Amino acid sequence: SYELTQPPSVSVSPGQTASITCSGDKLGDKYASWYQQRPGQSPVLLIYRDSTRPSGIPERFSGSNSGNTATLTISGTQAMDEADYYCQAWDSSTEYVVFGGGTKVTVL
Amino acid sequence: QVQLVESGGGLVKPGGSLRLSCAASGFTFSDYYMSWIRQAPGKGLEWVSYISSSGDTIYYADSVKGRFTISRDNAKNSLYLQMNSLRAEDTAVYYCAGGAGANTQFEYWGQGTLVTVSS
């Protein structure tokens, strides 16, 4: 079955840039999406189709996807960005939806 | 304003059954693929099942295949999940979520309903 791998945690200082990776076999051939989940809340769509932000999502969130890795970048990280982040893709061979294991971002 | 409101969660014994519902409003429900996604306590997101906008295409994760049944009623703007033969490992918050297609992102999420399977 298709798997997406994320680092369990990423730490970043306020105002700095955080990068969260999501790895999967030929992930660059698929569309990757990213979700933010703050403690006790439902996930929120941050990025879809690799790099598109829904309306209302701040410009400091950006995404890319190439080869085997998709990356979510948070520029000028703020304390409010402390949350869990999940990547997601669709496996065309099984027609299953796949989530990465999630990355906890800590703003120190 | 888009709303997805789940209900039907609760405490159930192993081997028991439960039916979850999700009431949608604020968007054209019949145009959207709908999914159930769960999150065990302290764990990540796990996709459970999706159903196409018309209801004619359905897929399940291997972990629930044969035990769970997804359905929808577009006239009532509602999504359902019938869960049978429940196991302790099914304990999770269950979210309903909507997207334009099976291979697209989840634009809309509900607040979740907690299912606890325990004796």
Side-chain angles (χ1 to χ4, degrees), chain A residues 62-101:
Chain A
S62 62
S64 63
N65 186 14
S66 179
N68 295 322
T69 304
T71 303
L72 173 70
T73 302
I74 312 174
S75 304
T77 306
Q78 301 181 8
M80 66 186 299
D81 299 330
E82 196 162 274
D84 294 325
Y85 292 82
Y86 295 90
C87 60
Q88 175 251 314
W90 182 72
D91 179 18
S92 58
S93 65
T94 59
E95 302 205 46
Y96 285 4
V97 174
V98 182
F99 284 97

Side-chain angles (χ1 to χ4, degrees), chain B residues 18-89:
Chain B
L18 214 53
R19 189 192 194 212
L20 306 183
S21 299
C22 172
S25 61
F27 66 105
T28 307
F29 180 76
S30 58
D31 285 347
Y32 278 72
Y33 274 60
M34 296 299 296
S35 287
W36 289 98
I37 296 160
R38 68 185 181 183
Q39 187 170 35
K43 302 297 184 182
L45 300 173
E46 179 190 13
W47 169 74
V48 172
S49 177
Y50 71 71
I51 184 168
S52 63
S53 53
S54 62
D56 57 359
T57 299
I58 288 173
Y59 279 89
Y60 299 98
D62 291 344
S63 57
V64 305
K65 200 174 295 182
R67 301 187 298 122
F68 290 11
T69 302
I70 192 172
S71 61
R72 65 190 296 160
D73 185 337
N74 286 343
K76 294 183 178 180
N77 288 343
S78 293
L79 176 72
Y80 307 100
L81 186 68
Q82 177 66 43
M83 304 186 295
N84 298 331
S85 303
L86 283 162
R87 306 166 180 167
E89 54 264 35

